[in-house]
Amino acid sequence: GEMYDSSSSSSSALSQSMPSPPQLTIEEKRMEDIKSIISPHISTPESLQLLHTPQYRALYWLAVEDGRRLTIPTSSTQKSKLIQRYILALLYFALDGKRWVHDFKFMTALDECRWNMQVEDENGEVYTGGVGGCDNYGLIQTIALWTNNLNGQLPTEVGELTSVKVMSLYDNQIHGILPENIHKMNNLQLLYLHSNKIRGDVGFMCSLEIQNFRADCFGLEANVQCVCCNVCCVDDENGANQCYTQ
């Protein structure tokens, strides 16, 4: 049996010298599992590779820091919920959430249907801001973040929130062009983008026939070109946003 012994000892010596594949920690495994759900369909692989992108920060938060600690989805409903929570976290990071006037319970362990609260505006009027109005599947139908110091570019991923009927983002510091992906939001009935720094042509939204659509589209010098907005706005010489029915 010497032949057998020597061959087995040499093979075990060989296996010891071979490096074993690195074991993923539980957190790393979670990161990979969640990443496989949101990439490439929701966010690009590139956006999730760099540590400081809003996409990476949202992924890391969802996998590691989120107090809700969602299980890896097995059903399409669970998958939709996880993607929604990721996109809302992404919205928070992309639009400088730490400096928002009201955090609206964003990034808490609550279900994102409850990321909202009643606040008073400067006239003492009480309104509900944040996100919510969820349907039977737990998908949000309202995004109400006006006058809240949102600063940055609207992430293209927001277009995947197709259950949303009302998206009110007016009176903020949102800049850049409106991502074309937003035209996927085919349930929109109200879209308020005015009093921001958004530029460009938003004609790609016209096929949605949104009843209440406002942007900074008034006048020849308008920042936004919008042939289907029913109200167009512009900042006057005092910096106040004035709106005109088209």
Side-chain angles (χ1 to χ4, degrees), residues 153-159 167 174-185 193 198-199 201-202 204-205:
Q153 295 199 26
L154 206 57
T156 184
E157 289 89 341
V158 172
M167 184 156 74
I174 301 170
H175 55 81
I177 59 170
L178 190 69
E180 212 155 309
N181 203 36
I182 303 287
H183 85 276
K184 286 189 183 174
M185 301 175 79
L193 301 174
I198 297 166
R199 301 187 163 272
D201 194 328
V202 296
F204 58 84
M205 296 298 288

Side-chain angles (χ1 to χ4, degrees), residues 10-156:
S10 68
S11 70
S12 70
L14 182 66
S15 67
Q16 280 164 7
S17 66
M18 291 286 285
S20 59
Q23 289 298 302
L24 289 180
T25 65
I26 293 170
E27 302 300 1
E28 286 168 338
K29 175 85 170 74
R30 235 179 109 70
M31 282 277 285
E32 290 303 315
D33 287 345
I34 294 175
K35 188 196 268 189
S36 70
I37 292 163
I38 59 178
S39 172
H41 309 295
I42 309 297
S43 293
T44 65
E46 298 78 47
S47 69
L48 292 166
Q49 270 161 1
L50 301 164
L51 298 187
H52 301 297
T53 63
Q55 286 84 356
Y56 181 87
R57 291 169 73 191
L59 168 64
Y60 184 84
W61 174 80
L62 192 61
V64 178
E65 298 173 328
D66 182 8
R68 197 161 187 79
R69 201 158 179 92
L70 294 179
T71 53
I72 304 303
T74 51
S75 70
S76 61
T77 304
Q78 288 178 336
K79 188 175 171 183
S80 300
K81 283 290 281 181
L82 182 136
I83 288 169
Q84 170 172 270
R85 198 165 174 87
Y86 164 75
I87 294 171
L88 292 173
L90 170 55
L91 195 66
Y92 180 87
F93 288 122
L95 297 175
D96 203 8
K98 279 204 165 69
R99 293 191 175 84
W100 289 2
V101 180
H102 304 287
D103 66 16
F104 292 120
K105 302 179 187 162
F106 266 64
M107 318 307 280
T108 63
L110 291 169
D111 185 289
E112 64 280 3
C113 291
R114 295 170 63 193
W115 284 3
N116 54 70
M117 57 190 194
Q118 289 197 311
V119 292
E120 267 189 36
D121 67 15
E122 58 268 29
N123 305 319
E125 298 285 325
V126 175
Y127 69 91
T128 301
V131 297
C134 286
D135 64 16
N136 295 336
Y137 298 100
L139 300 177
I140 62 164
Q141 297 184 77
T142 302
I143 298 174
L145 294 170
W146 69 81
T147 316
N148 202 41
N149 202 33
L150 277 56
N151 193 331
Q153 295 199 26
L154 206 57
T156 184

